[in-house]
């Protein structure tokens, strides 16, 4: 119950002031399909937690005619050659996405700042100029916004871009070589062109627009700060959302926190989700996995989190953040409902991303996700994608028939994929003493540097006997009971699989458990485990 109340509390706090409709997919289908169904993600601080944030993924139904897409600063040329190349790589994808949004009835606003004069005779330019003066013009909409509020200001940026953010060698010379928007993005006569916050607001008010998608460059600068940027529109009460895969940052990896350019972008996206507004991906319009730059070769770890018992929604974001920051991996979190009984607990969105993923970490409990979403999981495992199951993953997809029509279970996931044999657990109370399952297990790379015994507060799961082909790594013992395996490896077809029944919130605070998980991630993607 605690987490249910928390979820409702956080959701309502975040959504105050936004005008939107949250609906279940069933209701969207039932309303005739005129809506644009979008999945947005944001993060909210857990009250009293001292800075722990959790991820929320929610579904909204937008009326296309009440929706605008703003394309920020997708110039033909940038002073940084690396930035110019990445814009050229983004542009064709953006053009497709924008064209899909336009066909549905959304207004497209091209905002190549500082080059508007190039378009003085374009019908799209005249549309922006001629929009009637808004009756409710928000304060500050005419100027740059440095911080959304004091909270954002006190936190500051997660990356140091004080050098301008050129990642090239030799460094590029700063300047203003842009002349117009890159030609790859077609400007239709039905669109608008403006770099003015006032004109953009006039257009939004004229059309009764409530939802705005921002895409373009650079997230840590213009996308956030421009007069028509994320901060100003969020402050003005628009339901503004960053399309997080169709953006880029100006960030030089040689600057703090010395991570890959693309991790720099992900850190800024996380900042946006915490302090400014929600984000979404282009999957909403394309049905395809999110866009990814060709030079972004970081292995992709996807977390599938949907349970109500063990605070996965609270422990996984911190772990994912650490994998990105310290270990050079790319992480995505698909967060389902944390409610035990609600109708929408079987919903999940965004599993398309598994087509690009190297590893899936499952921490879910008794869910029957939509059949099309589950198909991505089966495809992922058929092509040898690696899997880690945490705690309730043994009964992740065994919903005991509670899923709605069109949803799919995978009741045998435990014996078939994980190699386990979950049949309940011992009562909570006694601490479980966790030790290596023999001398050979102690030498396994997953146990490298893991200090044992580890004491766990989670109740001991019954999993004996394990399926054939498993290798037990850790054994858990409580007084007066037979020991049980609590961590093992398995193979499902060509997939490397690791499972542990550990994963209680206290385990995530234990350095040995942490080490175990980091090792398991690297073992699963077939890379050497990091040194201590
Ligand atoms: Zn450069």
């Amino acid at each position: 119950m605690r987490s249910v109340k928390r979820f409702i509390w956080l959701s309502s706090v975040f959504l105050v002031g936004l005008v939107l409709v949250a609906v279940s997919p069933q209701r969207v289908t039932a309303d005739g399909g005129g809506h644009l169904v979008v999945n947005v993600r944001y993060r909210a601080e857990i009250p009293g937690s001292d800075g722990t944030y959790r991820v929320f993924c929610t579904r909204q139904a937008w009326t296309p005619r009440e929706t605008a897409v703003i394309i920020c600063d997708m110039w033909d040329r940038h002073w940084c050659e690396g930035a110019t190349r990445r814009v050229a790589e983004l542009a064709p994808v953006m053009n497709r996405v924008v064209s899909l949004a336009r066909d549905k009835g959304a207004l497209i606003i091209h905002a190549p700042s500082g080059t508007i004069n190039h378009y003085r005779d374009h019908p799209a330019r005249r549309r922006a100029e001629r929009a009637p003066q808004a009756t409710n013009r928000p304060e500050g909409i005419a100027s740059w916004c440095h911080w959304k509020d004091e909270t954002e200001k006190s936190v500051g940026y997660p990356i140091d871009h004080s050098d301008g953010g050129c990642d090239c060698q030799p460094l590029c010379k700063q300047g203003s070589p842009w002349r117009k928007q890159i030609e790859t993005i077609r400007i239709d006569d039905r669109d608008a062109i403006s770099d003015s916050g006032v004109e953009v607001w006039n257009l939004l008010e004229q059309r009764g627009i409530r939802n705005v998608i921002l895409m373009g460059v650079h997230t840590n600068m213009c996308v956030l700060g421009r007069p028509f940027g994320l901060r100003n529109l969020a402050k003005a009460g628009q339901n503004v959302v960053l399309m997080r895969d169709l953006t880029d940052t100006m960030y030089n990896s040689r600057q703090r926190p010395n991570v890959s350019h693309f991790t720099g972008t992900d850190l800024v996206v996380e900042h946006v989700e915490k302090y400014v507004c929600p984000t979404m991906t282009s999957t909403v319009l394309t049905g395809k996995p999110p866009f990814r730059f060709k030079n972004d070769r970081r292995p992709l770890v996807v977390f599938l989190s949907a349970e109500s018992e063990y605070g996965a929604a609270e422990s996984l974001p911190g772990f994912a953040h650490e994998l990105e920051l310290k270990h050079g991996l790319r992480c995505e979190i698909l967060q389902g409902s944390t409610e035990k009984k609600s109708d929408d607990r079987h919903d999940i969105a965004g599993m398309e991303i598994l087509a690009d993923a190297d590893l899936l970490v499952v921490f879910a409990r008794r869910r029957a996700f939509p059949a099309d979403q589950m198909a991505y999981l089966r495809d992922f495992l058929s092509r040898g994608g690696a899997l880690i199951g945490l705690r309730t993953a043994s009964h992740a997809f065994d919903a005991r028939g509670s899923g709605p029509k069109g949803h799919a279970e995978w009741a045998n996931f435990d014996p078939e994929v994980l190699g386990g044999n979950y049949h309940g657990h011992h009562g909570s109370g006694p601490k479980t003493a966790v030790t290596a399952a023999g001398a050979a297990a102690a030498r396994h790379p997953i146990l490298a540097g893991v200090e044992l015994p580890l004491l766990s507060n989670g109740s001991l799961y019954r999993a004996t006997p394990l399926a054939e082909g498993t290798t037990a790594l850790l054994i858990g013992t409580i007084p007066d009971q037979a020991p049980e395996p609590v961590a093992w490896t398995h193979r499902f077809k060509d997939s490397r699989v690791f499972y542990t029944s550990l994963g209680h919130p206290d385990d995530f605070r234990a350095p040995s458990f942490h080490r175990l998980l980091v090792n398991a991630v690297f073992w699963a993607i077939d890379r050497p485990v990091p040194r201590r």
Side-chain angles (χ1 to χ4, degrees), residues 310-341:
Y310 298 109
E314 295 164 20
S315 18
L316 295 178
F319 182 66
H321 183 86
E322 189 192 322
L323 290 180
E324 294 197 321
L325 209 55
K326 294 189 186 161
H327 299 290
L329 304 178
R330 175 185 169 213
C331 295
E332 277 280 338
I333 296 174
L334 306 180
Q335 179 63 57
S337 167
T338 54
E339 301 197 36
K340 196 168 185 172
K341 291 268 187 257

PDB file of all heavy atoms in Angstrom, residues 310-341:
ATOM      1  N   TYR A 310       8.988  -4.850  -3.774  1.00  0.00           N
ATOM      2  CA  TYR A 310      10.387  -4.682  -3.376  1.00  0.00           C
ATOM      3  C   TYR A 310      11.030  -3.366  -3.823  1.00  0.00           C
ATOM      4  O   TYR A 310      12.249  -3.251  -3.866  1.00  0.00           O
ATOM      5  CB  TYR A 310      11.214  -5.868  -3.883  1.00  0.00           C
ATOM      6  CG  TYR A 310      10.753  -7.171  -3.271  1.00  0.00           C
ATOM      7  CD1 TYR A 310      10.080  -8.116  -4.031  1.00  0.00           C
ATOM      8  CD2 TYR A 310      10.961  -7.422  -1.915  1.00  0.00           C
ATOM      9  CE1 TYR A 310       9.625  -9.303  -3.456  1.00  0.00           C
ATOM     10  CE2 TYR A 310      10.506  -8.602  -1.334  1.00  0.00           C
ATOM     11  CZ  TYR A 310       9.839  -9.529  -2.107  1.00  0.00           C
ATOM     12  OH  TYR A 310       9.390 -10.687  -1.527  1.00  0.00           O
ATOM     13  N   GLY A 311      10.208  -2.385  -4.186  1.00  0.00           N
ATOM     14  CA  GLY A 311      10.758  -1.065  -4.494  1.00  0.00           C
ATOM     15  C   GLY A 311      11.707  -1.029  -5.681  1.00  0.00           C
ATOM     16  O   GLY A 311      12.625  -0.205  -5.727  1.00  0.00           O
ATOM     17  N   ALA A 312      11.490  -1.917  -6.676  1.00  0.00           N
ATOM     18  CA  ALA A 312      12.364  -1.907  -7.860  1.00  0.00           C
ATOM     19  C   ALA A 312      12.367  -0.536  -8.527  1.00  0.00           C
ATOM     20  O   ALA A 312      13.401  -0.063  -9.004  1.00  0.00           O
ATOM     21  CB  ALA A 312      11.901  -2.973  -8.859  1.00  0.00           C
ATOM     22  N   ALA A 313      11.197   0.115  -8.531  1.00  0.00           N
ATOM     23  CA  ALA A 313      11.091   1.431  -9.175  1.00  0.00           C
ATOM     24  C   ALA A 313      12.004   2.441  -8.499  1.00  0.00           C
ATOM     25  O   ALA A 313      12.385   3.442  -9.099  1.00  0.00           O
ATOM     26  CB  ALA A 313       9.641   1.925  -9.127  1.00  0.00           C
ATOM     27  N   GLU A 314      12.361   2.150  -7.245  1.00  0.00           N
ATOM     28  CA  GLU A 314      13.211   3.080  -6.509  1.00  0.00           C
ATOM     29  C   GLU A 314      14.679   2.670  -6.545  1.00  0.00           C
ATOM     30  O   GLU A 314      15.562   3.512  -6.540  1.00  0.00           O
ATOM     31  CB  GLU A 314      12.715   3.193  -5.064  1.00  0.00           C
ATOM     32  CG  GLU A 314      11.326   3.811  -5.023  1.00  0.00           C
ATOM     33  CD  GLU A 314      10.597   3.629  -3.699  1.00  0.00           C
ATOM     34  OE1 GLU A 314      11.263   3.360  -2.685  1.00  0.00           O
ATOM     35  OE2 GLU A 314       9.362   3.767  -3.693  1.00  0.00           O
ATOM     36  N   SER A 315      14.952   1.362  -6.611  1.00  0.00           N
ATOM     37  CA  SER A 315      16.359   0.948  -6.599  1.00  0.00           C
ATOM     38  C   SER A 315      16.997   0.934  -7.992  1.00  0.00           C
ATOM     39  O   SER A 315      18.197   1.182  -8.114  1.00  0.00           O
ATOM     40  CB  SER A 315      16.550  -0.424  -5.947  1.00  0.00           C
ATOM     41  OG  SER A 315      15.388  -1.161  -5.869  1.00  0.00           O
ATOM     42  N   LEU A 316      16.205   0.638  -9.040  1.00  0.00           N
ATOM     43  CA  LEU A 316      16.828   0.480 -10.355  1.00  0.00           C
ATOM     44  C   LEU A 316      17.356   1.779 -10.972  1.00  0.00           C
ATOM     45  O   LEU A 316      18.429   1.759 -11.592  1.00  0.00           O
ATOM     46  CB  LEU A 316      15.867  -0.229 -11.317  1.00  0.00           C
ATOM     47  CG  LEU A 316      15.532  -1.680 -10.934  1.00  0.00           C
ATOM     48  CD1 LEU A 316      14.538  -2.286 -11.926  1.00  0.00           C
ATOM     49  CD2 LEU A 316      16.792  -2.556 -10.867  1.00  0.00           C
ATOM     50  N   PRO A 317      16.645   2.931 -10.854  1.00  0.00           N
ATOM     51  CA  PRO A 317      17.200   4.137 -11.499  1.00  0.00           C
ATOM     52  C   PRO A 317      18.603   4.497 -11.014  1.00  0.00           C
ATOM     53  O   PRO A 317      19.455   4.901 -11.808  1.00  0.00           O
ATOM     54  CB  PRO A 317      16.185   5.231 -11.132  1.00  0.00           C
ATOM     55  CG  PRO A 317      14.900   4.508 -10.926  1.00  0.00           C
ATOM     56  CD  PRO A 317      15.302   3.186 -10.296  1.00  0.00           C
ATOM     57  N   GLY A 318      18.860   4.339  -9.724  1.00  0.00           N
ATOM     58  CA  GLY A 318      20.185   4.659  -9.200  1.00  0.00           C
ATOM     59  C   GLY A 318      21.238   3.708  -9.756  1.00  0.00           C
ATOM     60  O   GLY A 318      22.348   4.125 -10.105  1.00  0.00           O
ATOM     61  N   PHE A 319      20.875   2.432  -9.861  1.00  0.00           N
ATOM     62  CA  PHE A 319      21.805   1.444 -10.400  1.00  0.00           C
ATOM     63  C   PHE A 319      22.079   1.732 -11.884  1.00  0.00           C
ATOM     64  O   PHE A 319      23.237   1.704 -12.328  1.00  0.00           O
ATOM     65  CB  PHE A 319      21.231   0.039 -10.205  1.00  0.00           C
ATOM     66  CG  PHE A 319      22.135  -1.042 -10.689  1.00  0.00           C
ATOM     67  CD1 PHE A 319      23.350  -1.279 -10.062  1.00  0.00           C
ATOM     68  CD2 PHE A 319      21.789  -1.816 -11.783  1.00  0.00           C
ATOM     69  CE1 PHE A 319      24.206  -2.278 -10.516  1.00  0.00           C
ATOM     70  CE2 PHE A 319      22.640  -2.828 -12.246  1.00  0.00           C
ATOM     71  CZ  PHE A 319      23.839  -3.048 -11.606  1.00  0.00           C
ATOM     72  N   ALA A 320      21.024   2.061 -12.627  1.00  0.00           N
ATOM     73  CA  ALA A 320      21.184   2.379 -14.055  1.00  0.00           C
ATOM     74  C   ALA A 320      22.077   3.609 -14.231  1.00  0.00           C
ATOM     75  O   ALA A 320      22.958   3.641 -15.104  1.00  0.00           O
ATOM     76  CB  ALA A 320      19.813   2.625 -14.686  1.00  0.00           C
ATOM     77  N   HIS A 321      21.854   4.600 -13.400  1.00  0.00           N
ATOM     78  CA  HIS A 321      22.651   5.834 -13.463  1.00  0.00           C
ATOM     79  C   HIS A 321      24.130   5.502 -13.271  1.00  0.00           C
ATOM     80  O   HIS A 321      25.004   6.012 -13.973  1.00  0.00           O
ATOM     81  CB  HIS A 321      22.167   6.782 -12.369  1.00  0.00           C
ATOM     82  CG  HIS A 321      22.847   8.108 -12.378  1.00  0.00           C
ATOM     83  ND1 HIS A 321      22.412   9.156 -13.157  1.00  0.00           N
ATOM     84  CD2 HIS A 321      23.944   8.556 -11.719  1.00  0.00           C
ATOM     85  CE1 HIS A 321      23.209  10.192 -12.966  1.00  0.00           C
ATOM     86  NE2 HIS A 321      24.143   9.862 -12.102  1.00  0.00           N
ATOM     87  N   GLU A 322      24.414   4.612 -12.329  1.00  0.00           N
ATOM     88  CA  GLU A 322      25.804   4.248 -12.067  1.00  0.00           C
ATOM     89  C   GLU A 322      26.421   3.479 -13.241  1.00  0.00           C
ATOM     90  O   GLU A 322      27.588   3.682 -13.584  1.00  0.00           O
ATOM     91  CB  GLU A 322      25.872   3.415 -10.790  1.00  0.00           C
ATOM     92  CG  GLU A 322      27.294   3.187 -10.357  1.00  0.00           C
ATOM     93  CD  GLU A 322      27.405   2.144  -9.269  1.00  0.00           C
ATOM     94  OE1 GLU A 322      26.525   2.115  -8.382  1.00  0.00           O
ATOM     95  OE2 GLU A 322      28.370   1.357  -9.319  1.00  0.00           O
ATOM     96  N   LEU A 323      25.621   2.603 -13.870  1.00  0.00           N
ATOM     97  CA  LEU A 323      26.137   1.879 -15.040  1.00  0.00           C
ATOM     98  C   LEU A 323      26.512   2.854 -16.141  1.00  0.00           C
ATOM     99  O   LEU A 323      27.483   2.650 -16.878  1.00  0.00           O
ATOM    100  CB  LEU A 323      25.103   0.874 -15.562  1.00  0.00           C
ATOM    101  CG  LEU A 323      24.813  -0.361 -14.705  1.00  0.00           C
ATOM    102  CD1 LEU A 323      23.762  -1.231 -15.386  1.00  0.00           C
ATOM    103  CD2 LEU A 323      26.092  -1.190 -14.472  1.00  0.00           C
ATOM    104  N   GLU A 324      25.748   3.924 -16.280  1.00  0.00           N
ATOM    105  CA  GLU A 324      26.036   4.918 -17.317  1.00  0.00           C
ATOM    106  C   GLU A 324      27.272   5.734 -16.964  1.00  0.00           C
ATOM    107  O   GLU A 324      28.179   5.905 -17.773  1.00  0.00           O
ATOM    108  CB  GLU A 324      24.844   5.867 -17.479  1.00  0.00           C
ATOM    109  CG  GLU A 324      23.612   5.174 -18.007  1.00  0.00           C
ATOM    110  CD  GLU A 324      22.578   6.156 -18.555  1.00  0.00           C
ATOM    111  OE1 GLU A 324      22.399   7.224 -17.945  1.00  0.00           O
ATOM    112  OE2 GLU A 324      21.971   5.831 -19.591  1.00  0.00           O
ATOM    113  N   LEU A 325      27.287   6.207 -15.745  1.00  0.00           N
ATOM    114  CA  LEU A 325      28.320   7.149 -15.333  1.00  0.00           C
ATOM    115  C   LEU A 325      29.680   6.490 -15.153  1.00  0.00           C
ATOM    116  O   LEU A 325      30.706   7.009 -15.572  1.00  0.00           O
ATOM    117  CB  LEU A 325      27.870   7.799 -14.007  1.00  0.00           C
ATOM    118  CG  LEU A 325      28.353   9.199 -13.723  1.00  0.00           C
ATOM    119  CD1 LEU A 325      28.003  10.153 -14.842  1.00  0.00           C
ATOM    120  CD2 LEU A 325      27.735   9.695 -12.410  1.00  0.00           C
ATOM    121  N   LYS A 326      29.701   5.305 -14.527  1.00  0.00           N
ATOM    122  CA  LYS A 326      30.983   4.693 -14.192  1.00  0.00           C
ATOM    123  C   LYS A 326      31.399   3.592 -15.142  1.00  0.00           C
ATOM    124  O   LYS A 326      32.563   3.219 -15.180  1.00  0.00           O
ATOM    125  CB  LYS A 326      30.921   4.099 -12.774  1.00  0.00           C
ATOM    126  CG  LYS A 326      30.763   5.137 -11.689  1.00  0.00           C
ATOM    127  CD  LYS A 326      30.938   4.506 -10.317  1.00  0.00           C
ATOM    128  CE  LYS A 326      30.646   5.509  -9.228  1.00  0.00           C
ATOM    129  NZ  LYS A 326      30.368   4.844  -7.946  1.00  0.00           N
ATOM    130  N   HIS A 327      30.448   3.012 -15.874  1.00  0.00           N
ATOM    131  CA  HIS A 327      30.787   1.828 -16.650  1.00  0.00           C
ATOM    132  C   HIS A 327      30.538   1.974 -18.153  1.00  0.00           C
ATOM    133  O   HIS A 327      30.653   1.006 -18.897  1.00  0.00           O
ATOM    134  CB  HIS A 327      30.039   0.615 -16.103  1.00  0.00           C
ATOM    135  CG  HIS A 327      30.386   0.301 -14.673  1.00  0.00           C
ATOM    136  ND1 HIS A 327      31.624  -0.193 -14.299  1.00  0.00           N
ATOM    137  CD2 HIS A 327      29.686   0.456 -13.535  1.00  0.00           C
ATOM    138  CE1 HIS A 327      31.651  -0.353 -12.982  1.00  0.00           C
ATOM    139  NE2 HIS A 327      30.499   0.036 -12.493  1.00  0.00           N
ATOM    140  N   GLY A 328      30.155   3.178 -18.609  1.00  0.00           N
ATOM    141  CA  GLY A 328      30.065   3.439 -20.046  1.00  0.00           C
ATOM    142  C   GLY A 328      28.938   2.713 -20.755  1.00  0.00           C
ATOM    143  O   GLY A 328      28.988   2.536 -21.976  1.00  0.00           O
ATOM    144  N   LEU A 329      27.912   2.262 -20.027  1.00  0.00           N
ATOM    145  CA  LEU A 329      26.796   1.581 -20.670  1.00  0.00           C
ATOM    146  C   LEU A 329      25.664   2.575 -20.908  1.00  0.00           C
ATOM    147  O   LEU A 329      25.595   3.621 -20.267  1.00  0.00           O
ATOM    148  CB  LEU A 329      26.298   0.428 -19.794  1.00  0.00           C
ATOM    149  CG  LEU A 329      27.350  -0.606 -19.401  1.00  0.00           C
ATOM    150  CD1 LEU A 329      26.747  -1.661 -18.491  1.00  0.00           C
ATOM    151  CD2 LEU A 329      27.952  -1.267 -20.635  1.00  0.00           C
ATOM    152  N   ARG A 330      24.788   2.229 -21.826  1.00  0.00           N
ATOM    153  CA  ARG A 330      23.602   3.041 -22.059  1.00  0.00           C
ATOM    154  C   ARG A 330      22.421   2.323 -21.413  1.00  0.00           C
ATOM    155  O   ARG A 330      22.287   1.105 -21.563  1.00  0.00           O
ATOM    156  CB  ARG A 330      23.367   3.177 -23.560  1.00  0.00           C
ATOM    157  CG  ARG A 330      22.094   3.904 -23.929  1.00  0.00           C
ATOM    158  CD  ARG A 330      21.879   3.887 -25.455  1.00  0.00           C
ATOM    159  NE  ARG A 330      20.533   4.346 -25.758  1.00  0.00           N
ATOM    160  CZ  ARG A 330      19.810   3.907 -26.776  1.00  0.00           C
ATOM    161  NH1 ARG A 330      20.296   2.989 -27.599  1.00  0.00           N
ATOM    162  NH2 ARG A 330      18.609   4.373 -26.984  1.00  0.00           N
ATOM    163  N   CYS A 331      21.597   3.028 -20.675  1.00  0.00           N
ATOM    164  CA  CYS A 331      20.490   2.376 -19.965  1.00  0.00           C
ATOM    165  C   CYS A 331      19.166   3.028 -20.306  1.00  0.00           C
ATOM    166  O   CYS A 331      19.088   4.242 -20.472  1.00  0.00           O
ATOM    167  CB  CYS A 331      20.706   2.457 -18.458  1.00  0.00           C
ATOM    168  SG  CYS A 331      22.140   1.542 -17.899  1.00  0.00           S
ATOM    169  N   GLU A 332      18.139   2.206 -20.399  1.00  0.00           N
ATOM    170  CA  GLU A 332      16.781   2.702 -20.571  1.00  0.00           C
ATOM    171  C   GLU A 332      15.913   2.000 -19.549  1.00  0.00           C
ATOM    172  O   GLU A 332      16.075   0.799 -19.327  1.00  0.00           O
ATOM    173  CB  GLU A 332      16.257   2.373 -21.974  1.00  0.00           C
ATOM    174  CG  GLU A 332      16.689   3.350 -23.045  1.00  0.00           C
ATOM    175  CD  GLU A 332      15.856   4.629 -23.070  1.00  0.00           C
ATOM    176  OE1 GLU A 332      14.714   4.607 -22.559  1.00  0.00           O
ATOM    177  OE2 GLU A 332      16.342   5.637 -23.597  1.00  0.00           O
ATOM    178  N   ILE A 333      15.007   2.739 -18.943  1.00  0.00           N
ATOM    179  CA  ILE A 333      14.118   2.139 -17.950  1.00  0.00           C
ATOM    180  C   ILE A 333      12.692   2.135 -18.484  1.00  0.00           C
ATOM    181  O   ILE A 333      12.166   3.184 -18.854  1.00  0.00           O
ATOM    182  CB  ILE A 333      14.176   2.911 -16.622  1.00  0.00           C
ATOM    183  CG1 ILE A 333      15.591   2.809 -16.035  1.00  0.00           C
ATOM    184  CG2 ILE A 333      13.147   2.373 -15.634  1.00  0.00           C
ATOM    185  CD1 ILE A 333      15.832   3.639 -14.808  1.00  0.00           C
ATOM    186  N   LEU A 334      12.106   0.938 -18.573  1.00  0.00           N
ATOM    187  CA  LEU A 334      10.685   0.831 -18.895  1.00  0.00           C
ATOM    188  C   LEU A 334       9.980   0.564 -17.579  1.00  0.00           C
ATOM    189  O   LEU A 334      10.116  -0.511 -16.995  1.00  0.00           O
ATOM    190  CB  LEU A 334      10.432  -0.315 -19.885  1.00  0.00           C
ATOM    191  CG  LEU A 334      11.253  -0.289 -21.180  1.00  0.00           C
ATOM    192  CD1 LEU A 334      10.910  -1.485 -22.060  1.00  0.00           C
ATOM    193  CD2 LEU A 334      11.008   1.007 -21.950  1.00  0.00           C
ATOM    194  N   GLN A 335       9.293   1.561 -17.081  1.00  0.00           N
ATOM    195  CA  GLN A 335       8.668   1.453 -15.765  1.00  0.00           C
ATOM    196  C   GLN A 335       7.172   1.209 -15.913  1.00  0.00           C
ATOM    197  O   GLN A 335       6.450   2.044 -16.428  1.00  0.00           O
ATOM    198  CB  GLN A 335       8.924   2.732 -14.962  1.00  0.00           C
ATOM    199  CG  GLN A 335       8.284   2.737 -13.581  1.00  0.00           C
ATOM    200  CD  GLN A 335       8.841   1.633 -12.682  1.00  0.00           C
ATOM    201  OE1 GLN A 335      10.038   1.552 -12.451  1.00  0.00           O
ATOM    202  NE2 GLN A 335       7.970   0.748 -12.198  1.00  0.00           N
ATOM    203  N   GLY A 336       6.722   0.056 -15.458  1.00  0.00           N
ATOM    204  CA  GLY A 336       5.294  -0.229 -15.454  1.00  0.00           C
ATOM    205  C   GLY A 336       4.676   0.233 -14.143  1.00  0.00           C
ATOM    206  O   GLY A 336       5.323   0.873 -13.316  1.00  0.00           O
ATOM    207  N   SER A 337       3.444  -0.130 -13.954  1.00  0.00           N
ATOM    208  CA  SER A 337       2.730   0.252 -12.735  1.00  0.00           C
ATOM    209  C   SER A 337       3.342  -0.453 -11.530  1.00  0.00           C
ATOM    210  O   SER A 337       3.787  -1.591 -11.610  1.00  0.00           O
ATOM    211  CB  SER A 337       1.259  -0.149 -12.879  1.00  0.00           C
ATOM    212  OG  SER A 337       0.630  -0.076 -11.618  1.00  0.00           O
ATOM    213  N   THR A 338       3.342   0.256 -10.389  1.00  0.00           N
ATOM    214  CA  THR A 338       3.823  -0.362  -9.156  1.00  0.00           C
ATOM    215  C   THR A 338       2.636  -0.735  -8.263  1.00  0.00           C
ATOM    216  O   THR A 338       2.795  -0.965  -7.078  1.00  0.00           O
ATOM    217  CB  THR A 338       4.740   0.608  -8.386  1.00  0.00           C
ATOM    218  OG1 THR A 338       4.040   1.833  -8.202  1.00  0.00           O
ATOM    219  CG2 THR A 338       6.025   0.858  -9.133  1.00  0.00           C
ATOM    220  N   GLU A 339       1.452  -0.781  -8.870  1.00  0.00           N
ATOM    221  CA  GLU A 339       0.280  -1.145  -8.072  1.00  0.00           C
ATOM    222  C   GLU A 339       0.039  -2.639  -8.153  1.00  0.00           C
ATOM    223  O   GLU A 339       0.347  -3.288  -9.142  1.00  0.00           O
ATOM    224  CB  GLU A 339      -0.931  -0.358  -8.567  1.00  0.00           C
ATOM    225  CG  GLU A 339      -0.675   1.142  -8.450  1.00  0.00           C
ATOM    226  CD  GLU A 339      -1.933   1.961  -8.518  1.00  0.00           C
ATOM    227  OE1 GLU A 339      -2.951   1.493  -7.995  1.00  0.00           O
ATOM    228  OE2 GLU A 339      -1.883   3.054  -9.084  1.00  0.00           O
ATOM    229  N   LYS A 340      -0.519  -3.174  -7.074  1.00  0.00           N
ATOM    230  CA  LYS A 340      -0.682  -4.623  -7.002  1.00  0.00           C
ATOM    231  C   LYS A 340      -1.948  -5.073  -7.717  1.00  0.00           C
ATOM    232  O   LYS A 340      -1.989  -6.131  -8.339  1.00  0.00           O
ATOM    233  CB  LYS A 340      -0.729  -5.039  -5.534  1.00  0.00           C
ATOM    234  CG  LYS A 340      -0.507  -6.517  -5.334  1.00  0.00           C
ATOM    235  CD  LYS A 340      -0.268  -6.839  -3.868  1.00  0.00           C
ATOM    236  CE  LYS A 340       0.068  -8.314  -3.702  1.00  0.00           C
ATOM    237  NZ  LYS A 340       0.479  -8.622  -2.335  1.00  0.00           N
ATOM    238  N   LYS A 341      -2.994  -4.278  -7.633  1.00  0.00           N
ATOM    239  CA  LYS A 341      -4.283  -4.758  -8.128  1.00  0.00           C
ATOM    240  C   LYS A 341      -4.904  -3.917  -9.250  1.00  0.00           C
ATOM    241  O   LYS A 341      -5.838  -4.350  -9.892  1.00  0.00           O
ATOM    242  CB  LYS A 341      -5.295  -4.788  -6.965  1.00  0.00           C
ATOM    243  CG  LYS A 341      -5.016  -5.857  -5.909  1.00  0.00           C
ATOM    244  CD  LYS A 341      -5.762  -7.154  -6.233  1.00  0.00           C
ATOM    245  CE  LYS A 341      -5.632  -8.182  -5.116  1.00  0.00           C
ATOM    246  NZ  LYS A 341      -4.666  -9.232  -5.427  1.00  0.00           N
TER     247      LYS A 341
END
